[in-house]
Structure formats: structure tokens, C-alpha cells
């Protein structure tokens, strides 16, 4: 095989996507894995690489999907044939979603179709990351373009009762 896809085959990387994201990602992996041979791909499990049970030098291209630090250190010795997926590292190629533009496009599309009196809330997590900042900025950019007032609401990642309370206390005005 010329190309190896390095991923965790025992997990679904859903982070906060819920059942829909899990279902879509599982289907995508099943499709890719079922056609791996004809696509000249081999899927390598992260854990086997960490255990030194896989020789990466025999592959012409390595695509690493959100690899852990141990794998990143290993791949940093082969930057000429490594592509990181949704991870950014100096001197390594990567492919990624432009989260800011994606959220801007989605919100802009919706705002073009909503009444001017629409109430806008951006639901976010308390934990900050590059991706969460980019998505929030895309939302703010679209609201600014349309001169819309909005509120940002931050959730706790694991406390559902607190999150429900936050949602129930949002100042939503009902149409009369």
C-alpha cells in the first residue's frame, strides 16, 4: 500500500458531535475501509503504532487523523510524507476545516432567510480552543455583516443540569 491512514480504529472521534456526527463518521469509515484496497489505502491503528508493531517507513504517504503526541513525535521525523488532518504543527503539511468561514457561511445563509427580529444565541463550551474561537468569530462576523444583535451562551462540557438551567434562563422573547 502506498498510503497509510493513521487513526484510532477502536473509537469514534466525535468530541461533541453527538449521535449524528458519530453515525456519519462511522459510515464514512466503513465506506473507506471497505474500499481501502482499491483506493490503495491501509488503515493503521494508533495503538499498534505506539506499540511499535507497524513499520511506517514502507508507506509513501501518511495521513494522520488527530494523532496523539506520541504519534506526532514519531511522524515529525517524516514531515516530507506526512499530512496531519485537523492538527497543526510546524514544518508539517495539514488539511483542515476553515471553521470560521464554515460557520460564517452557515449563519449568513440563515440570516438572509430569517426575519430581522430573530433572536440569535451562540451556544458554546466554556473550554476554549482554537476551533471554538474560530467558530465563534465566524458567527460574530456574520451577525456583524447583517447588523444583528446576538448573545453568546457558554455551556459546561459535562454538567447537563447546569446546561439545562442556562438554557431555561435565556431571555427569549415570545412573538405576540
Amino acid at each position: 500500500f502506498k498510503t497509510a491512514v493513521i487513526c484510532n480504529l477502536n473509537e469514534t472521534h466525535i468530541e461533541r458531535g453527538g449521535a449524528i456526527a458519530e453515525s456519519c463518521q462511522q459510515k464514512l469509515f466503513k465506506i473507506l475501509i471497505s474500499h481501502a484496497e482499491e483506493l490503495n489505502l491501509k488503515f493503521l491503528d494508533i495503538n499498534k503504532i505506539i506499540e511499535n508493531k507497524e513499520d511506517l517507513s514502507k508507506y509513501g504517504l501518511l495521513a494522520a487523523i488527530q494523532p496523539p503526541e506520541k504519534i506526532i513525535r514519531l511522524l515529525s521525523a517524516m514531515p516530507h510524507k506526512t499530512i496531519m488532518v485537523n492538527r497543526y504543527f510546524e514544518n508539517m503539511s495539514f488539511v483542515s476545516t476553515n471553521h470560521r468561514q464554515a460557520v460564517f457561511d452557515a449563519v449568513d445563509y440563515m440570516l438572509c432567510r430569517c426575519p430581522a427580529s430573530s433572536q440569535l444565541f451562540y451556544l458554546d463550551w466554556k473550554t476554549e480552543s482554537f476551533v471554538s474561537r474560530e467558530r465563534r468569530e465566524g458567527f460574530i462576523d456574520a451577525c456583524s455583516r447583517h447588523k444583528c444583535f446576538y448573545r453568546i451562551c457558554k455551556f459546561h462540557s459535562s454538567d447537563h443540569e447546569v446546561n439545562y438551567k442556562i438554557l431555561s434562563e435565556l431571555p427569549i422573547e415570545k412573538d405576540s
Side-chain angles (χ1 to χ4, degrees):
F1 293 94
K2 290 185 177 183
T3 301
V5 178
I6 300 168
C7 57
N8 193 334
L9 295 174
N10 297 323
E11 287 183 18
T12 54
H13 299 285
I14 44 175
E15 294 183 25
R16 291 180 286 275
I20 293 172
E22 180 179 12
S23 171
C24 291
Q25 189 156 14
Q26 285 174 340
K27 286 177 186 173
L28 176 61
F29 270 113
K30 283 179 186 174
I31 291 168
L32 286 174
I33 290 170
S34 68
H35 293 284
E37 204 167 308
E38 66 191 80
L39 295 170
N40 208 14
L41 295 172
K42 180 160 186 189
F43 284 80
L44 305 177
D45 186 64
I46 285 172
N47 297 313
K48 289 187 178 163
I49 295 168
I50 290 173
E51 296 167 8
N52 293 319
K53 293 183 179 175
E54 190 68 50
D55 178 17
L56 298 179
S57 65
K58 64 184 178 185
Y59 299 101
L61 178 64
L62 301 165
I65 301 172
Q66 297 183 336
E69 291 300 317
K70 284 183 180 180
I71 300 293
I72 294 165
R73 282 194 299 275
L74 180 67
L75 296 174
S76 66
M78 300 175 260
H80 59 285
K81 64 179 189 175
T82 301
I83 297 174
M84 295 288 188
V85 178
N86 281 336
R87 298 289 305 263
Y88 319 98
F89 294 93
E90 202 171 318
N91 300 321
M92 296 186 92
S93 299
F94 66 89
V95 292
S96 178
T97 303
N98 183 335
H99 295 278
R100 186 175 188 152
Q101 188 64 48
V103 172
F104 174 87
D105 291 345
V107 173
D108 182 62
Y109 177 85
M110 294 305 297
L111 289 175
C112 286
R113 286 149 184 81
C114 291
S117 61
S118 295
Q119 298 174 64
L120 302 173
F121 297 90
Y122 184 80
L123 307 178
D124 203 356
W125 300 101
K126 285 226 182 251
T127 52
E128 280 289 315
S129 70
F130 171 78
V131 171
S132 66
R133 278 190 302 277
E134 287 295 296
R135 290 175 178 167
R136 187 175 51 250
E137 291 301 317
F139 174 83
I140 292 168
D141 291 347
C143 291
S144 296
R145 178 174 183 242
H146 290 270
K147 297 178 176 53
C148 291
F149 178 77
Y150 59 88
R151 293 179 181 93
I152 294 177
C153 179
K154 295 218 174 205
F155 288 121
H156 300 262
S157 60
S158 59
D159 194 335
H160 301 298
E161 288 180 25
V162 171
N163 293 340
Y164 179 78
K165 186 174 189 251
I166 291 168
L167 275 176
S168 64
E169 292 174 355
L170 287 175
I172 299 173
E173 298 169 16
K174 306 238 189 267
D175 289 334
S176 39

